[in-house]
């Protein structure tokens, strides 16, 4: 037998003698004080049944009866046995009559694992009955003392006599007349016909001439229901019953104790079955379904689980009812339509307060307060719940929801015992449900982590491929140039190829850095009013050359009056450029890509549509996820890291907008739509007269400016190739260049040469660029402490730029830096300081 500590404590507090023996050894697992007092010995727990009653012979009927219950699994109810016990402990055996009830308790596989024993000492009653057979007078005296009633009935005359005790048991006044119809009217309606038939059969000598029967009385004056054990015997004369005499005994307490024991056994069985349902199902929905199958109808006609919903009434997630039609009605009325969050009773109130609620009789106002309207109220009335209780589901002080039990199909009323049982069931369900949800969430997160890990591995593989491919072209053509085997035309092609692949590689690196900034939350915007039509036009110019090379036609419809948005012009151009580049890449030769900018309600809408290969519907929900590609195999037709659309989505959302993708399927093209709120909706403080900021033009080859003529520049970099390249570029622009290979040499050169501008790398051995600029800024102005400085570094994060400026640099440029960008920065810096 498996029972909780609380359940054993309930048995220990029982007012009637009760014990529990377990296992093949018949060892006492429980014996309450009333039981120990009755058998006249203590300290029974842990001792074997036969050991406790060692004075009895091995073949004693009490042992055989207990063994029979274990063997056959059939309960023994109210069986009277004579047992000779040494109750005083003086070695003297005393004959004692017990009324035994043995109730088997079964394990998970059906075997009897324990027996619950209820024993009532009826020795006194037995002695009185024996005295009755010896003397009527002594019997009357004894019955008056013991509570046994006597009656005498003469069938021929219909005369019926009851003693005082019998009148008490039937609730009849001492002076009230009594006859056989009065006797029948005092019986419970459900027992009346059965008792009348037994009485009539007792008048026939062939039927045994008497009865031993139990029935219920309903007090004729007080209405109290009692259980009676009655014995009657007919006295015959010539085959005719002349007198019918007998006794009645109040066995209400014995029956109630048996009912309580039966109910307790049922509760224990319910707890065991509920525990099994909660222990065997890991999926929350399956677990709850099994749990409801166990508790309905064992605990009530219906049971429903509600989960807490922030800001609204608890939501019903599962329900079971003995009537399938009413179960469907509950799913509609409560599950789909829900209950009012302001309901004064039921799950809404219990979740609010965290306190259980018992409604022995459900008042109509409870349904009125829970209904949304008259139609909803009519549905709740049709369910017809007459008695209900609700308990909170609480784990670690947090109310997860509520469990509601209802009675609608029987006359039963739920009471305090039902509330205690429901509270224990709710506690177990809450713990199991919370653990199951936690396990499910853990498994879900594990699957996500595994999927992310697979995506990461695929991304690393693709990134390696994409970075190595242009690197291969760069190295290959560089070796050809170095060999001197190329003619003038081939040399020009080699240089173009090297430059193109270097730009591809730089863009790949920039995409990876953007994703890193997104993940770490360090992506920042330089916001101002922006004309999206100008931004889109600039992006179109950048993509046009690639589209022409692939034979893809570009068309654009740009509304110049679409309105300004508030954002970062460069980042918005990146959004449009990414969408256009993506469309060109996935559109076959002869295809078409259309760009459109227009005003739609309170947003400016940018649409990029193509008639290319389209998007598989299964991949469409994942199209904006980083590191995801519809085809990540090594045989894929298109390159790239799968980051562009993820960057687009994040940039658009940073601007308060949204982006959507649509495709009718493979081979049917794709459409990407970006919507960004107009500037007046994003920032009320925008100057309405301010002209939109155009997007910065795409990088294009420019001539070196004359403003660098005679500019003295100090270049500090530990990479010889980089120093040589910068020296060549700046000298070609007319600057006078001094170089240094580390921070120490750079500082000495600055003090010695006093250049107009310092251009320094950051990451260098023996002392980085931050240390160098701090040493420079520590010098007096007359000694070069205010020398303008530009950091040129591969550390390209926003944090790196901030750190460089805080250290003392005036500008921050990311490698790789082309000649126009570097010279333009020098010109701007020279103009800002008046050099």
């Amino acid at each position: 037998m498996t029972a909780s500590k609380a359940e054993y404590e309930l048995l220990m507090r029982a007012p009637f003698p009760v014990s529990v023996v377990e296992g093949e050894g018949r060892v006492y697992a429980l014996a309450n004080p009333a039981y120990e007092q009755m058998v006249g010995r203590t300290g029974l727990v842990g001792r074997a049944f036969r050991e406790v009653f060692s004075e009895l012979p091995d073949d004693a009927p009490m042992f055989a009866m207990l063994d029979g219950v274990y063997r056959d699994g059939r309960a023994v109810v109210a069986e009277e046995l004579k047992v000779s016990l040494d109750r005083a402990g003086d070695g003297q055996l005393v004959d004692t009559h017990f009324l035994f009830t043995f109730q088997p308790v079964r394990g998970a596989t059906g075997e009897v694992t324990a027996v619950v024993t209820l024993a009532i000492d009826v020795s006194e009653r037995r002695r009185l009955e024996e005295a009755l057979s010896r003397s009527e007078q002594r019997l009357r005296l004894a019955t008056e003392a013991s509570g046994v009633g006597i009656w005498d009935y003469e069938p021929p005359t219909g005369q019926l006599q009851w003693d005082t005790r019998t009148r008490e048991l039937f609730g009849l006044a001492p002076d009230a007349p009594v006859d056989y119809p009065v006797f029948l009217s005092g019986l419970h309606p459900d027992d009346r016909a059965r008792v009348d038939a037994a009485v009539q059969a007792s008048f026939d000598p062939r039927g045994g001439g008497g009865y031993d029967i139990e029935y219920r009385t309903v007090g004729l004056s007080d209405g109290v229901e009692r259980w009676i054990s009655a014995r009657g015997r007919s006295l015959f004369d010539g085959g005719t019953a002349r007198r019918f005499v007998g006794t009645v005994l109040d066995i209400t307490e014995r029956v109630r104790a048996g009912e309580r024991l039966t109910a307790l056994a049922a509760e224990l069985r319910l707890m065991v079955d509920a525990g099994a349902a909660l222990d065997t199902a890991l999926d929350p929905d399956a677990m709850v379904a099994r749990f409801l199958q166990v508790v309905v109808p064992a605990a009530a006609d219906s049971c429903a689980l509600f989960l807490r919903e922030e800001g609204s009434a608890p939501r019903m997630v599962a329900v079971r009812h003995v009537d399938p039609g009413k179960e469907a009605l509950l799913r509609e009325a409560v599950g789909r339509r829900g209950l009012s969050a302001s309901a004064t009773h039921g799950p809404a109130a219990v979740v609010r307060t965290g306190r259980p609620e018992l409604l022995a009789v459900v008042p109509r106002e409870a349904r009125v307060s829970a209904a949304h309207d008259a139609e909803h109220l009519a549905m709740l009335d049709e369910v017809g719940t007459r008695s209900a209780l609700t308990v909170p589901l609480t784990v670690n002080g947090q109310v997860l929801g509520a469990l509601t039990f209802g009675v609608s199909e029987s006359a039963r009323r739920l009471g305090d015992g039902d509330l205690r049982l429901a509270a224990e069931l709710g506690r177990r369900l809450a713990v199991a449900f919370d653990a199951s949800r936690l396990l499910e969430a853990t498994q879900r997160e594990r699957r996500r982590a595994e999927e992310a890990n697979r995506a990461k591995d695929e991304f690393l593989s693709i990134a390696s491929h994409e970075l190595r491919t242009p690197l291969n072209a760069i190295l290959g053509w560089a070796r050809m140039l170095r060999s001197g085997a190329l003619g003038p035309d081939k040399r020009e092609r080699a240089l173009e190829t090297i430059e193109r692949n270097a730009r591809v590689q730089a863009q790949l690196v920039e995409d990876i850095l953007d994703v890193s900034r997104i993940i770490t939350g360090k992506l920042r915007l330089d916001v101002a009013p922006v004309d999206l039509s100008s931004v889109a036009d600039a992006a179109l110019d950048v993509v046009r050359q690639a589209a022409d090379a692939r034979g893809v036609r570009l068309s654009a419809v740009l509304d110049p009056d679409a309105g300004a948005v508030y954002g970062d012009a460069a980042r918005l151009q990146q959004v449009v450029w990414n969408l256009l580049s993506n469309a060109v890449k996935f559109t076959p030769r002869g295809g078409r890509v259309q760009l459109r900018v227009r005003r739609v309600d309170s947003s400016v809408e940018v649409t990029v549509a193509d008639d290319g290969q389209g998007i598989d519907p299964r991949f469409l929900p994942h199209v904006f996820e980083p590191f995801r590609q519809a085809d990540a195999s090594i045989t894929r037709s298109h390159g790239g890291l799968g980051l562009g659309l993820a960057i687009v989505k994040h940039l658009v959302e940073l601007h308060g907008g949204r982006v959507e993708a649509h495709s009718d399927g493979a081979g049917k093209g794709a459409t990407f739509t970006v919507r960004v709120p107009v500037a007046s909706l994003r920032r009320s403080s925008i100057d309405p007269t301010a002209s939109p900021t155009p997007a910065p033009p795409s990088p294009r080859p420019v001539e070196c400016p004359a403003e660098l003529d005679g500019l003295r520049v100090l270049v500090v970099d530990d990479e010889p190739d980089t120093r040589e390249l910068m020296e060549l570029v700046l000298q070609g622009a007319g600057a006078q260049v001094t170089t240094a290979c580390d921070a120490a040499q750079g500082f000495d050169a600055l003090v010695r040469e006093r250049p107009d501008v310092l251009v320094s790398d950051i990451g260098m051995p023996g002392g980085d660029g931050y240390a160098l600029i701090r040493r420079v800024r520590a010098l007096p102005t007359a000694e070069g402490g205010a020398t303008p400085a530009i950091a040129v570094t591969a550390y390209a994060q926003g944090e790196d730029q901030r750190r460089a400026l805080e250290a003392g640099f005036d500008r921050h440029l990311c490698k790789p830096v082309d000649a126009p960008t570097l010279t333009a920065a020098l010109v701007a810096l020279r103009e800002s300081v008046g050099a």
Side-chain angles (χ1 to χ4, degrees), residues 4 59 93 107-108 164 169 189 259 297 314 344 370 385 453 498 558 588 604 641 687 698 725 821:
S4 69
D59 59 349
L93 298 182
T164 302
L169 295 181
E259 290 175 347
T344 56
T385 302
N453 193 53
I498 290 172
L558 310 178
V604 178
L641 297 177
D687 181 0
S698 58
L725 176 61
T821 301

Side-chain angles (χ1 to χ4, degrees), residues 56-377:
L56 298 181
D58 291 337
D59 59 349
M62 185 169 66
F63 295 153
M65 189 178 296
L66 178 62
D67 292 338
V69 175
Y70 265 94
R71 181 182 61 254
D72 302 326
R74 289 194 296 270
V76 175
V77 180
E79 185 72 23
E80 184 175 328
L81 289 179
K82 177 182 176 182
V83 183
S84 297
L85 296 178
D86 178 11
R87 301 178 73 179
D90 56 3
Q92 298 296 318
L93 298 182
V94 178
D95 291 340
T96 307
H97 291 265
F98 292 104
L99 206 59
F100 282 103
T101 295
F102 293 97
Q103 178 70 37
V105 179
R106 301 180 184 275
T109 58
E111 78 283 1
V112 176
T113 60
V115 173
V116 180
T117 303
L118 170 67
I120 300 177
D121 187 347
V122 294
S123 302
E124 182 67 18
R125 192 193 76 176
R126 173 56 66 183
R127 284 193 293 272
L128 290 175
E129 288 178 348
E130 291 173 353
L132 179 64
S133 67
R134 292 191 300 267
S135 170
E136 182 177 352
Q137 184 179 6
R138 292 175 62 188
L139 174 62
R140 291 183 182 278
L141 294 174
T143 54
E144 289 177 3
S146 66
V148 175
I150 298 176
W151 51 266
D152 188 339
Y153 179 54
E154 295 181 0
T157 64
Q159 183 178 1
L160 177 62
Q161 294 182 1
W162 282 353
D163 70 350
T164 302
R165 180 58 178 161
T166 304
R167 286 176 174 271
E168 291 175 354
L169 295 181
F170 277 80
L172 190 67
D175 56 349
V178 60
D179 55 18
Y180 190 71
V182 171
F183 162 69
L184 290 178
S185 67
L187 301 178
H188 191 285
D190 294 343
D191 296 341
R192 210 167 278 161
R194 177 173 60 86
V195 174
D196 183 45
V199 170
Q200 301 306 322
S202 298
F203 300 157
D204 186 348
R206 294 170 300 179
Y211 67 55
D212 290 323
I213 193 170
E214 293 180 358
Y215 53 76
R216 289 165 291 177
T217 65
V218 179
L220 294 169
S221 60
D222 57 16
V224 176
E225 182 179 305
R226 299 178 179 87
W227 273 95
I228 303 297
S229 174
R231 291 185 175 186
R233 293 293 181 268
S234 291
L235 302 178
F236 293 95
D237 182 8
T240 301
R242 298 298 179 181
R243 293 184 67 186
F244 188 41
V245 297
T247 63
V248 289
L249 176 67
D250 186 352
I251 60 170
T252 302
E253 284 303 316
R254 190 199 77 185
V255 173
R256 295 286 184 260
E259 290 175 347
R260 289 193 293 270
L261 185 61
T262 301
L264 180 59
E267 287 186 11
L268 293 176
R269 180 74 268 166
L270 177 58
M271 288 296 182
V272 171
D273 293 343
L278 297 175
D279 289 342
T280 57
L282 296 179
D283 174 68
D285 294 336
M287 181 189 68
V288 171
R290 288 192 183 187
F291 176 82
L292 295 183
Q293 287 176 353
V294 169
V295 300
V296 175
D301 294 338
S302 66
C303 184
L305 171 64
F306 293 81
L307 292 183
R308 185 184 197 120
E309 294 280 326
E310 292 300 330
S312 62
R315 176 173 55 91
M316 189 183 80
V317 297
V319 65
R320 187 173 179 85
H321 197 290
V322 293
D323 183 344
K326 289 189 175 181
E327 181 176 316
L329 188 59
L330 280 170
R331 294 185 187 279
E332 173 64 21
V334 182
R336 191 184 69 82
R337 299 194 61 172
L339 299 176
S340 171
S342 59
T344 56
H345 298 280
V350 169
V351 168
R352 277 198 310 270
T353 64
R355 295 190 297 270
E357 176 189 67
L358 171 62
L359 298 176
V361 178
V362 177
R364 178 166 172 76
E365 55 265 26
R367 291 193 289 271
V368 172
S369 70
H372 299 301
D373 48 42
E375 180 186 3
H376 194 205
L377 177 60

Side-chain angles (χ1 to χ4, degrees), residues 454-478:
R454 284 193 296 271
K456 178 204 69 175
D457 290 341
E458 290 177 359
F459 166 71
L460 291 176
S461 177
I462 293 171
S464 176
H465 173 271
E466 294 300 315
L467 289 170
R468 288 174 181 273
T469 297
L471 183 62
N472 183 69
I474 292 170
L475 291 175
W477 282 103

